Amino acid sequence: MSKLNSLAISENGFIFKPSTGESFTTNEIGLLIISFLKQGKTADEIINEITKEFDVDAISAGRDLYEYLDFLKREKMLD
Amino acid sequence: MSKRIYEHPVLRKVVEGIPNKFGSLKRLQPIATIDTVEIDSIISKYGSPVFILSEKTIRQTYRTAYRAFSTRYPKVQFAWSYKTNYLDAVCRVYHQEGAWAEVVSGFEYEKAIDNGTPGTHIIFNGPDKSDEDLIRAINNKSLIHIDHFDELYSILGLTDKLKERPQVAIRVNMDTGIIPQWDRFGFNYENGEAWNAINRILSSGTIDLIGLHIHIGTYITVSKAYATAVEKLAALANKTFDRFNVSIGYIDIGGGFASQNTLHGAYMPATDTSPSFDDYAHAITTAMIAADFPNNETPMLILETGRALIDDAGWLAGTVLANKRLADGKRSMVIDAGVNLMFTAFWYNHEIYPVHESSFQSEPTTIYGPLCMNIDVIRKNIDFPMMNKGDHFVIKRVGAYTMTQWMQFITYRPNIVMIDEKNNVHLVRKAEDKEVFRRQELVPEHL
Amino acid sequence: MSNQKTITVAVTGLNNIDSPGPGVSVIRGIKDSGLNARIIGLAYENLEPGIYMPGLVDKTYLIPFPSTGSEAFIDRLAYINEKEGLDIIIPNFDSELYLFIKYSDQLLNMGIHTFLPTLKQFEERHKDNLPEYGEKYGIKMPVSKAIQNSKELSNLPKPLSYPYYIKGKFYEAFKVNNNNQAVSYFNRLSAKWGLPVVVQQAINGTEVNVIVLGDGEGNTVSAVAMRKQYITDKGKAWGGITINDERLLEITHDIIKKTKWRGAMELEMIKTDEGEYYLIEINPRIPAWVYLAVGAGQNIPEMVCRLAMGEKVIPVTEYEYGKMFIRYSWDLIGDISDFEKIIIFGEL
């Protein structure tokens, strides 16, 4: 998760990647997912956390999570 | 403990210099009802997709248009353009409001008669009229708008056998500054063809020339083009009067008023740029009043506008089938209505809305129809909120041409319903099913 | 004059880049004047330099592109107005003028004043309508034609011949020497700015420009003539110098008198070696080089503000000849946190 730790993430959802100078925006759930990832949680654990707190079923939450993870990988913010 | 509302997680790259959400996003407000009727309830009862017509909007739009012209000019007559939408229910609303019928084929002519239109209130346009069609129209004293010399000679040939004198107008094409010039219909003004046709008609002594017709093009937003057209038709009317002592009873200015749908390639949305009925009425009636018609008479002004009268009254509601990421990472959405129903998507940027609030985040999305064809695109690159499979959408302003140009391709054509003025929903055209096709098809015995 | 009440002026066109918008120059003019003004920047893109220039704007808001439609546009302005209490808006882009003119009454109801041409004045000087415009007002113009279809390019009416300019509906112009070039630019311009695309005969001569302000009753309140000294590859002036060209100013006064133009405009003209003047374009707004006019003694942004607020402005005719402007770029050091605010909140 070292790559995620190198990002500058503001509580407003603004993400700055110092290594490339790129910036990104994310929303509340996105910020939450990133913080879980930083804590080293697995995908299943994150899905579990999200379904506990939000009104969403595990299948939808999982589908969204994997799409989000794909985006992080594509932008090389995650291994 | 109640759980918090879930949002799809979103991660978006900031592209410098490219407008972000404050720059480009018009927050799409969901549309849940049409004339107070829940769209969801219509879909659950009549299936998905489904076309929805608003009788209230049809009548209101018609009245606005009629008011715009009739308050500026003494003799105004609208004729409903059947090809734009020839559902009987729709046509009858217009006829109730006082519109005549404008038809371009034997099929449409039969529909107009079935809808109770008197023969004398049917305008018969177009290049395709069979002898059979012409005989019926002559006997009914319908207004035949002649398109070409072959048709003129057919009518001349029929006059010997028939008791009634054909009531005709000629369609004229001309340069009004509009590009492209529609010179494939009617007789040209500038090269003298129109004048030749008038000579031929009036020197026969067996046909009555009662009107002049022009249709300068479609989706015309330049009001002054109409003014040019009226001036030239008035010149023709004067020449006719001087030579034959015949007054032209009416000028049919055709249609072509733009709807508020935005064409592909337009920079500004049409809702901000389309002229209103009042703009058109001002341009056309000013020209009619200024023009010097023979004997100081004011000919009747006939309007055949179709698109601008019906587009706003039609909606298409349906269901999201799937969401997909394309190879380049862009979002796409597949819906259950394609170009088979929305032929107009080839030239309009149709306005599409979710029926319910689904997400506060939106992202550039391409919306595809369900057909197995690459060209089946309903909307390219629209900033659209994330919707889930099974969610409902509704497309605005689809009353014109969709229900006449739709294709039966791959699947059945859906139900069409009309919401009446008391907000009751009526089925006005049944969805097709396999029986419809069984009835039409014949299988040779050896198969 | 400096003790008057504060007025709040919103200005667009903060894109002070290689093809600059006029916003920054307009703001400098207002700041140099006797007006006690608070400046609100309105930006379309998150990197418009004016957002970040120290001491220029008091606050900036991002606004939606006009192509999004009037609803979103007016909503956003209403929101900004609620927070800032705008007195005046000075729009500086051709593409937004249509909306500002069309909704000027609605803006006035919100307490926001503008000083813009009427919709009719605005529409009739469009590039695709220039030949008729010239005829109506007796102005000499190069032959031009509005084109709807690239096929028309191979069959242009005489006397149009190479080289000619091909121009987008709102912006951009390219000089072309053959049909292939013309078709390729046609496609580019029509995709970007819509139809029609305009073809205009190239005229040999010196380009001279006038910035002019009409009061809407036929009077020229202010006019300054300038020759571009050097033109960048984008066709923009790099440097320019005020000139004393009486004939040019005479033509300008005549145009304002006949058109009763309300607001600022820029006339782009070519003066041929024979001393004839051809009008090649009318920009219906303040041009980016307006600060040269300010420097030469005519503060057009200030006058626009005063006229917008209904003040009487006495016409000025004098200005200094030989005043120059030289455009330069300057690297501003910003911080990502400012960028973040614009991205996330749309305000800075």
Side-chain angles (χ1 to χ4, degrees):
Chain A
M1 293 304 134
S2 60
K3 278 189 178 171
L4 276 180
N5 284 326
S6 71
L7 301 175
I9 303 171
S10 85
E11 58 190 24
N12 299 321
F14 186 81
I15 302 173
F16 177 62
K17 194 175 162 193
S19 58
T20 61
E22 291 164 310
S23 30
F24 302 83
T25 57
T26 189
N27 58 353
E28 192 194 349
I29 300 266
L31 280 174
L32 199 64
I33 291 173
I34 290 176
S35 76
F36 287 141
L37 288 169
K38 280 184 169 179
Q39 291 163 28
K41 285 194 164 50
T42 66
D44 285 342
E45 286 167 341
I46 294 174
I47 293 167
N48 194 23
E49 293 280 357
I50 289 175
T51 51
K52 251 195 323 205
E53 198 172 336
F54 293 91
D55 184 18
V56 63
D57 61 82
I59 292 174
S60 305
R63 190 190 56 203
D64 288 348
L65 176 69
Y66 286 111
E67 193 184 326
Y68 196 80
L69 294 178
D70 276 351
F71 196 101
L72 286 175
K73 283 175 195 159
R74 198 161 55 230
E75 294 298 336
K76 300 194 169 46
M77 292 192 271
L78 197 65
D79 288 319
Chain B
M1 181 191 99
S2 70
K3 292 183 178 180
R4 291 164 63 195
I5 296 166
Y6 177 76
E7 268 273 312
H8 300 278
V10 178
L11 186 62
R12 201 168 303 150
K13 191 169 185 163
V14 174
V15 184
E16 286 87 353
I18 298 287
N20 64 2
K21 60 181 172 176
F22 297 97
S24 65
L25 176 63
K26 170 160 108 185
R27 258 297 284 287
L28 285 179
Q29 295 296 332
I31 295 178
T33 59
I34 297 169
D35 294 352
T36 75
V37 180
E38 299 275 344
I39 293 171
D40 287 344
S41 73
I42 294 175
I43 290 179
S44 76
K45 183 152 180 208
Y46 297 97
S48 174
V50 57
F51 277 106
I52 303 162
L53 290 154
S54 159
E55 183 183 340
K56 196 189 287 173
T57 308
I58 296 177
R59 291 188 190 274
Q60 279 170 355
T61 312
Y62 180 88
R63 286 170 196 172
T64 304
Y66 186 78
R67 190 231 355 108
F69 282 90
S70 62
T71 52
R72 291 178 167 92
Y73 192 76
K75 285 185 258 176
V76 174
Q77 181 61 51
F78 277 75
W80 173 239
S81 157
Y82 265 49
K83 63 181 173 297
T84 314
N85 190 320
Y86 42 59
L87 283 169
D88 289 338
V90 169
C91 296
R92 284 174 196 227
V93 174
Y94 285 112
H95 295 326
Q96 274 188 3
E97 290 289 330
W100 292 0
E102 184 264 320
V103 304
V104 293
S105 67
F107 160 67
E108 288 188 356
Y109 192 96
E110 283 168 1
K111 268 189 160 284
I113 293 287
D114 284 354
N115 284 324
T117 318
T120 50
H121 289 177
I122 301 177
I123 296 170
F124 198 174
N125 276 328
D128 176 19
K129 307 183 190 90
S130 67
D131 280 2
E132 206 185 352
D133 293 334
L134 287 171
I135 291 166
R136 182 174 45 191
I138 293 167
N139 285 335
N140 287 340
K141 291 175 165 276
S142 297
L143 316 178
I144 301 170
H145 288 189
I146 304 174
D147 185 71
H148 45 73
F149 275 111
D150 284 321
E151 182 184 345
L152 172 53
Y153 289 119
S154 298
I155 295 171
L156 283 171
L158 290 168
T159 49
D160 310 341
K161 301 167 210 144
L162 300 172
K163 281 201 303 268
E164 300 291 348
R165 288 171 68 86
Q167 305 294 302
V168 309
I170 58 162
R171 175 151 174 183
V172 181
N173 71 62
M174 59 175 66
D175 180 8
T176 56
I178 292 294
I179 303 164
Q181 190 181 334
W182 275 25
D183 55 2
R184 58 165 289 192
F185 299 111
F187 303 92
N188 186 256
Y189 174 82
E190 283 83 7
N191 71 9
E193 205 182 33
W195 177 235
N196 286 345
I198 291 172
N199 273 298
R200 193 71 197 87
I201 290 166
L202 290 176
S203 52
S204 76
T206 54
I207 302 179
D208 292 333
L209 179 74
I210 56 171
L212 295 172
H213 173 208
I214 183 161
H215 192 111
I216 58 178
T218 194
Y219 227 84
I220 303 305
T221 54
V222 188
S223 297
K224 73 176 180 213
Y226 287 100
T228 312
V230 170
E231 276 166 32
K232 290 186 177 176
L233 290 183
L236 214 47
N238 276 308
K239 223 164 147 185
T240 306
F241 184 77
D242 293 346
R243 167 76 75 90
F244 298 100
N245 199 27
V246 166
S247 302
I248 298 297
Y250 66 85
I251 297 287
D252 181 341
I253 205 79
F257 298 173
S259 91
Q260 301 212 324
N261 265 311
T262 305
L263 289 166
H264 290 173
Y267 181 71
M268 297 282 291
T271 41
D272 285 326
T273 56
S274 277
S276 65
F277 284 119
D278 284 288
D279 293 337
Y280 285 117
H282 178 74
I284 293 169
T285 58
T286 308
M288 286 291 285
I289 289 163
D292 204 4
F293 286 100
N295 266 346
N296 286 329
E297 282 175 43
T298 23
M300 174 157 66
L301 172 63
I302 297 183
L303 298 133
E304 296 173 356
T305 181
R307 187 192 311 271
L309 285 180
I310 188 73
D311 227 5
D312 276 6
W315 306 72
L316 177 66
T319 308
V320 174
L321 297 178
N323 285 295
K324 266 185 167 176
R325 284 273 159 206
L326 301 176
D328 60 0
K330 287 216 184 88
R331 199 183 135 212
S332 74
M333 188 170 93
V334 186
I335 59 175
D336 65 352
V339 291
N340 53 331
L341 306 180
M342 296 280 299
F343 204 71
T344 48
F346 289 130
W347 55 86
Y348 286 153
N349 289 328
H350 276 296
E351 286 180 41
I352 175 165
Y353 298 85
V355 169
H356 297 289
E357 189 91 68
S358 53
S359 170
F360 295 101
Q361 300 285 344
S362 67
E363 134 172 39
T365 304
T366 298
I367 299 175
Y368 292 110
L371 308 178
C372 289
M373 290 161 73
N374 207 31
I375 57 162
D376 189 19
V377 181
I378 291 297
R379 198 55 213 270
K380 266 188 189 146
N381 214 14
I382 174 179
D383 220 321
F384 206 75
M386 178 79 186
M387 287 177 73
N388 291 318
K389 177 179 160 55
D391 285 353
H392 294 154
F393 66 85
V394 63
I395 305 177
K396 213 172 169 174
R397 278 191 206 101
V398 301
Y401 292 103
T402 47
M403 287 160 246
T404 52
Q405 290 186 325
W406 55 355
M407 291 176 270
Q408 189 275 312
F409 177 62
I410 297 183
T411 185
Y412 303 122
R413 284 178 283 205
N415 279 319
I416 304 177
V417 300
M418 181 185 275
I419 303 173
D420 70 19
E421 291 188 287
K422 296 194 176 91
N423 303 331
N424 300 310
V425 182
H426 305 267
L427 182 62
V428 296
R429 191 182 190 276
K430 281 196 285 188
E432 291 161 346
D433 59 17
K434 65 174 186 289
E435 291 309 320
V436 171
F437 295 92
R438 234 175 241 170
R439 255 200 320 272
Q440 293 307 110
E441 288 186 32
L442 303 168
V443 181
E445 240 168 71
H446 67 283
L447 296 174
Chain C
M1 287 284 267
S2 58
N3 285 336
Q4 61 194 321
K5 81 176 186 59
T6 307
I7 54 168
T8 304
V9 187
V11 179
T12 70
L14 308 181
N15 54 328
N16 206 31
I17 49 170
D18 56 347
S19 173
V24 170
S25 305
V26 168
I27 294 170
R28 288 181 71 195
I30 295 173
K31 288 195 174 272
D32 285 2
S33 75
L35 293 167
N36 188 5
R38 227 179 136 254
I39 306 292
I40 304 300
L42 303 176
Y44 290 101
E45 296 181 351
N46 52 39
L47 273 188
E48 292 185 18
I51 304 173
Y52 303 97
M53 288 167 72
L56 188 76
V57 296
D58 292 283
K59 174 114 194 207
T60 304
Y61 291 85
L62 289 183
I63 57 172
F65 276 102
S67 58
T68 320
S70 57
E71 208 183 310
F73 197 72
I74 299 290
D75 278 358
R76 183 70 176 157
L77 291 179
Y79 166 84
I80 296 165
N81 188 44
E82 198 176 293
K83 295 194 107 173
E84 306 293 344
L86 304 178
D87 294 302
I88 301 170
I89 293 185
I90 304 181
N92 289 311
F93 285 115
D94 293 15
S95 53
E96 68 189 4
L97 279 173
Y98 179 84
L99 283 184
F100 277 110
I101 294 170
K102 191 165 172 188
Y103 293 96
S104 56
D105 288 345
Q106 202 172 326
L107 291 173
L108 195 58
N109 283 338
M110 291 157 61
I112 306 172
H113 302 76
T114 52
F115 196 71
L116 298 170
T118 64
L119 201 53
K120 188 162 168 269
Q121 291 172 335
F122 176 72
E123 293 283 346
E124 72 175 359
R125 57 85 241 168
H126 267 304
K127 286 175 205 171
D128 51 331
N129 200 36
L130 272 186
E132 283 178 42
Y133 194 77
E135 209 170 293
K136 181 171 170 188
Y137 296 113
I139 311 162
K140 206 176 269 181
M141 296 182 178
V143 184
S144 73
K145 184 164 167 48
I147 303 286
Q148 302 277 350
N149 186 314
S150 63
K151 289 193 189 95
E152 291 175 61
L153 289 168
S154 52
N155 194 20
L156 289 172
K158 282 180 184 150
L160 265 168
S161 60
Y162 300 115
Y164 57 70
Y165 285 98
I166 182 162
K167 300 181 165 188
K169 184 171 179 177
F170 293 109
Y171 299 106
E172 292 190 284
F174 301 99
K175 198 171 190 172
V176 299
N177 287 299
N178 59 55
N179 193 53
N180 284 348
Q181 268 183 341
V183 170
S184 118
Y185 285 129
F186 176 91
N187 292 335
R188 198 155 126 191
L189 291 168
S190 59
K192 202 159 168 191
W193 303 113
L195 291 170
V197 165
V198 175
V199 164
Q200 187 182 64
Q201 185 64 51
I203 303 271
N204 280 330
T206 312
E207 187 178 337
V208 283
N209 297 322
V210 188
I211 180 173
V212 54
L213 178 60
D215 69 353
E217 284 156 28
N219 303 311
T220 300
V221 179
S222 164
V224 175
M226 177 271 278
R227 179 174 67 81
K228 290 180 181 173
Q229 291 172 298
Y230 191 89
I231 295 173
T232 68
D233 56 358
K234 295 222 164 172
K236 299 291 159 184
W238 183 324
I241 184 162
T242 55
I243 54 172
N244 176 17
D245 185 331
E246 279 174 24
R247 178 73 193 124
L248 180 57
L249 289 170
E250 223 175 270
I251 294 170
T252 304
H253 282 263
D254 190 51
I255 291 174
I256 294 294
K257 193 172 155 197
K258 286 176 179 158
T259 60
K260 294 197 164 44
W261 187 267
R262 186 170 187 273
M265 65 147 96
E266 180 192 25
L267 299 170
E268 293 184 12
M269 314 208 56
I270 298 283
K271 183 182 180 185
T272 65
D273 294 343
E274 291 75 43
E276 286 189 293
Y277 292 83
Y278 286 87
L279 180 65
I280 52 174
E281 200 161 317
I282 294 177
N283 291 315
R285 48 157 175 89
I286 299 172
W289 58 273
V290 60
Y291 197 65
L292 176 66
V294 176
Q298 299 195 6
N299 194 332
I300 288 181
E302 177 189 0
M303 289 187 255
V304 167
C305 288
R306 293 192 187 280
L307 287 166
M309 295 305 288
E311 281 181 43
K312 191 103 188 113
V313 175
I314 298 156
V316 274
T317 50
E318 299 295 308
Y319 62 89
E320 276 185 68
Y321 314 125
K323 279 280 175 192
M324 286 174 62
F325 80 91
I326 303 103
R327 219 163 248 162
Y328 70 111
S329 62
W330 189 57
D331 295 357
L332 180 70
I333 303 306
D335 193 84
I336 185 108
S337 63
D338 284 347
F339 188 56
E340 173 183 344
K341 283 185 196 124
I342 276 290
I343 300 290
I344 300 285
F345 302 112
E347 306 177 9
L348 176 65

